[in-house]
Amino acid sequence: MSINPKPDQSNWEPTVVAFCCNWCSYSGADLAGTSRLEYPTNIRIIRVPCSGRVNPQFVLKAFQKGADAVLVAG
Amino acid sequence: MKRIGVFVCWCGSNIAGTVDVEKLSEEIGKMPNVAYSCNYKYTCSEPGQEMIKDAIKEHNLNRIVVAACSPRMHEPTFRKTLAGAGLNPYLLVMANLREQCSWVHHDEEKATEKSIALVRRAVQKAEFAVPLEPTTDSVTGRAMVVGAGIAGIQAALDLADSGHEVVVVEKEPTVGGRMAQLDKTFPTLDCSICILAPKMVDVSGHPNIKLYTNAEVDKLDGYVGNFTATIRKKARSVDEEECIGCGICWEKCPNSVPNKFDMGLGDRSAIYIPFPQAVPSVPVIDRDNCRYYETGKCGICQKLCPKDAVDFEQEDTFVEEEIGAVVVATGYDLYDPTRYPEYNYDKYEDIITGLHLERIMNASGPTDGKVKRPSDGKKPEHVTFIQCVGSRDSQKGHEYCSGVCCMYTAKHATYLKEHYDIDSSVFYMDVRAFKKGYEEFYRRTTDQFEADYLRGRVSRVYGEGDKLIVKGEDSMLGEQVTLETDMVVLATAVEAKPDARKVAQTMGVSYDESFFMTEAHPKLRPVETNAAGVFLAGACQGPKDIPETVAQASGAAAKAINLISKDEIENDPLIANCDTSRCSGCLRCIPVCPYSAVTEEEVTEWNHGEEVTRTAVNVNESLCAGCGTCSAACRSGAMNLRGFSNEQILAEVEAICL
């Protein structure tokens, strides 16, 4: 059995929620900005003080509210 | 009731050029908990901040969202604005519209859509923001400087002159570092040791300085303002208190080994001081090369010592020092040129590095300042320099420019001509002489002292008879060139010390891919690190010349003085706290805490008229760094992180997914 998230995949853009550690990946995302590196708009960053802060509940909440992918970076 | 004010910043055209700020502030204004929403060209400017203060009063706002640049940039600025308007500074939430939206996207419509989600997230976080008060801690008014090269010496003297006690820890048996090995310094051709030695003596004699040589920092515990350093004093085999530095021991020692300080060009005894101006003038026994340690016989030094200071049984000892701030000044190393097999550095004695030449030219060096070839002792008539050995070469060396080699090569070429009448040729990639007096110096090297600069790389160096042949390219003429020369000097790259990574980890400082330690901000916080209370000076942070090192060392000292002069410091209130009424006492939070900030405690409470004692936990506010790992591990939801609470993050997730 295959699970297809959306029937029409041609224009489908996933929503990605990223939990980024303030000290590394969040500042890395800032560096991407200062270096003017372009990436798609469908990634939304939430700042956390450490990737260790990310409770599995936050990840489940994101999926529950419609996120297609969750990135924990730290 | 929450009355949230949202201020959208244009950042000139940085944000407004990509995001429709009018639409954004209008959309956000429709949110039920937003009492006021506006946009402004430069929110961080004086009038921008005044506007926020006025709006807080006029609209009776009690939570503020600033949608502008990264919070890593201006969160402190806007927190002060809130405090200025009488609001608790921690009622501010920022939305990162510049670094994480307008600068990385070009599609205006999509960027505006994303910006709405980002600001909505911030608004929902602000909904759950609570006022926070920082706690305070006392500060130990002493500092530690790790490394006593010119960077460490300068930082230590500045700190000591400000009236603070300084602990200086140096790995080598003497202070002085690399600068002590140099002969002259560019662009003024000052004698290096002549300007350094007085400072070395000052460090050892300063009433506020406690000097540990032949010692290393094993461990750094504690936190900003209150560190405890464990220092390992390596066995010297000589009693520092008793020794008077008379020199009988090293004169009579029968063993002879290559002198590391002279780059192996000369010899020293097994009991030695690294160089005549060494501070302290107390010898150390090189146990790997000492006859007594090898055979159990000899002991001449011990027999001859008039003060009975030689102690073969001496062992490493440990001391603990309480300090408030740390300056790391551990310096650099030089690239190993054997990684360029075409230069045949390990095959021919007359192919040397710049630092070898420094020792050869030095009056107290192995040749007493006479320029001689290491192979046959003859004076060379022509010397060829090869620049960028290990620098600007991502294949075999480092991608970065070492910054000092162009100038030290020019110095060598100038000095060889001026004092020894030796001609030189220099193979270079680009000459980078960009500081005060450097370009003028380089011009004199080529014009007045007639050094022959050839732009191009060298493909091979090999011996022929008693000459060396250098084959390379002159890319200006587009020709292959072959030079016959007497000595080849490689301008080897500056690189991090082999133990830089270990030192950085001990100090809690981050490092880059080349193992240079990283400053907190490349422009605005160049001497601070991400470890609060730890500062950087000199080449451990990146290649530097002496003037820049001294400037940075004074900067680091000023920052450290700033910290340790205070009676108390404020702790960041964004830390964990435990609601003991909900704590089940499972103690899952204790092993996950990287800072050992969580401790078990007994709580006594009244339960149905009975006094009950049970296990819970307590967070040490000074040790907690606010990572929040404990709250992610907490099963009962008792552990929460101020400023990044469970309620806040869940609200953010919900808002951002809409």
Side-chain angles (χ1 to χ4, degrees), chain B residues 337-504:
Chain B
T338 55
R339 290 185 61 196
Y340 283 83
E342 64 270 33
Y343 294 162
N344 280 323
Y345 169 74
D346 47 354
K347 280 206 189 117
Y348 300 99
E349 277 183 84
D350 297 333
I351 303 175
I352 58 173
T353 69
L355 201 52
H356 285 98
L357 186 60
E358 295 285 346
R359 295 314 303 154
I360 291 174
M361 295 199 299
N362 192 288
S364 64
T367 56
D368 298 325
K370 294 186 179 68
V371 175
K372 293 175 182 171
R373 306 208 309 172
S375 62
D376 53 13
K378 278 190 204 155
K379 185 185 162 188
E381 280 166 17
H382 182 269
V383 175
T384 302
F385 292 89
I386 303 175
Q387 298 228 262
C388 296
V389 179
S391 305
R392 304 178 67 197
D393 182 349
S394 51
Q395 299 296 314
K396 287 184 197 160
H398 303 288
E399 202 177 347
Y400 55 80
C401 167
S402 294
V404 292
C405 333
C406 285
M407 288 312 294
Y408 77 61
T409 300
K411 172 187 76 178
H412 289 155
T414 294
Y415 205 67
L416 285 180
K417 185 71 184 170
E418 192 178 15
H419 287 263
Y420 306 97
D421 197 27
I422 297 172
D423 294 323
S424 47
S425 299
V426 181
F427 282 92
Y428 71 101
M429 278 162 70
D430 297 289
V431 172
R432 296 184 166 173
F434 54 91
K435 289 186 189 166
K436 199 170 158 180
Y438 289 8
E439 177 66 20
E440 296 89 320
F441 185 88
Y442 161 62
R443 283 285 153 221
R444 279 202 301 278
T445 308
T446 55
D447 300 349
Q448 189 182 339
F449 298 106
E450 296 168 348
D452 184 18
Y453 270 66
L454 301 155
R455 190 178 194 278
R457 299 296 282 166
V458 169
S459 59
R460 216 176 143 212
V461 185
Y462 57 94
E464 210 171 77
D466 69 341
K467 293 277 183 188
L468 289 167
I469 308 296
V470 182
K471 276 187 178 288
E473 180 197 18
D474 185 339
S475 65
M476 294 294 210
L477 297 174
E479 280 175 2
Q480 297 297 314
V481 283
T482 304
L483 290 183
E484 205 183 77
T485 190
D486 299 312
M487 203 155 88
V488 172
V489 181
L490 308 175
T492 45
V494 170
E495 63 181 18
K497 288 217 165 193
D499 60 351
R501 190 171 167 176
K502 193 179 135 238
V503 172

Side-chain angles (χ1 to χ4, degrees), chain B residues 178-195 357-359 361-364 369 407-408 411-412 415-416 418-420 441 546:
Chain B
R178 287 278 175 214
M179 190 176 165
Q181 282 180 289
L182 306 182
D183 180 44
K184 298 286 183 291
T185 55
F186 59 79
T188 47
L189 296 182
D190 287 313
C191 156
S192 186
I193 195 72
C194 312
I195 55 175
L357 186 60
E358 295 285 346
R359 295 314 303 154
M361 295 199 299
N362 192 288
S364 64
M407 288 312 294
Y408 77 61
K411 172 187 76 178
H412 289 155
Y415 205 67
L416 285 180
E418 192 178 15
H419 287 263
Y420 306 97
F441 185 88
I546 295 167

Side-chain angles (χ1 to χ4, degrees), chain B residues 528-547:
Chain B
E528 292 151 281
T529 66
N530 280 333
V534 182
F535 306 95
L536 299 177
C540 64
Q541 183 249 353
K544 264 180 210 70
D545 59 13
I546 295 167

Side-chain angles (χ1 to χ4, degrees), chain B residues 44 111 180 384 522 583 589 606 624:
Chain B
C44 61
T384 302
C583 177
C589 45
W606 287 92
C624 177

Side-chain angles (χ1 to χ4, degrees), chain B residues 187-392:
Chain B
T188 47
L189 296 182
D190 287 313
C191 156
S192 186
I193 195 72
C194 312
I195 55 175
L196 177 67
K199 282 182 181 283
M200 291 164 61
V201 175
D202 284 353
V203 161
S204 80
H206 203 294
N208 284 340
I209 294 180
K210 197 169 175 184
L211 179 62
Y212 293 106
T213 50
N214 210 32
E216 287 180 54
V217 178
D218 251 28
K219 214 162 65 155
L220 186 69
D221 293 317
Y223 47 90
V224 52
N226 295 282
F227 294 105
T228 305
T230 308
I231 299 163
R232 174 198 291 268
K233 289 175 74 184
K234 293 180 282 186
R236 201 176 190 115
S237 309
V238 175
D239 187 335
E240 274 181 75
E241 303 296 317
E242 288 297 320
C243 175
I244 51 168
C246 66
I248 289 179
C249 54
W250 68 77
E251 278 162 22
K252 301 292 180 194
C253 174
N255 264 22
S256 171
V257 285
N259 191 353
K260 200 176 101 190
F261 187 81
D262 283 336
M263 304 297 290
L265 292 171
D267 288 336
R268 62 156 168 80
S269 43
I271 184 166
Y272 70 103
I273 58 166
F275 56 99
Q277 299 89 338
V279 171
S281 186
V282 175
V284 56
I285 296 183
D286 171 3
R287 291 190 177 184
D288 295 334
N289 293 301
C290 170
R291 210 168 277 188
Y292 180 86
Y293 289 99
E294 281 167 359
T295 63
K297 291 172 192 149
C298 185
I300 289 177
C301 48
Q302 194 178 39
K303 284 172 206 141
L304 293 177
C305 179
K307 299 292 285 182
D308 205 15
V310 176
D311 176 7
F312 292 118
E313 310 305 321
Q314 207 179 58
E315 284 176 7
D316 291 3
T317 51
F318 293 89
V319 278
E320 282 192 354
E321 290 285 355
E322 305 287 332
I323 53 204
V326 181
V327 177
V328 182
T330 46
Y332 67 98
D333 224 320
L334 288 167
Y335 178 82
D336 172 13
T338 55
R339 290 185 61 196
Y340 283 83
E342 64 270 33
Y343 294 162
N344 280 323
Y345 169 74
D346 47 354
K347 280 206 189 117
Y348 300 99
E349 277 183 84
D350 297 333
I351 303 175
I352 58 173
T353 69
L355 201 52
H356 285 98
L357 186 60
E358 295 285 346
R359 295 314 303 154
I360 291 174
M361 295 199 299
N362 192 288
S364 64
T367 56
D368 298 325
K370 294 186 179 68
V371 175
K372 293 175 182 171
R373 306 208 309 172
S375 62
D376 53 13
K378 278 190 204 155
K379 185 185 162 188
E381 280 166 17
H382 182 269
V383 175
T384 302
F385 292 89
I386 303 175
Q387 298 228 262
C388 296
V389 179
S391 305
R392 304 178 67 197

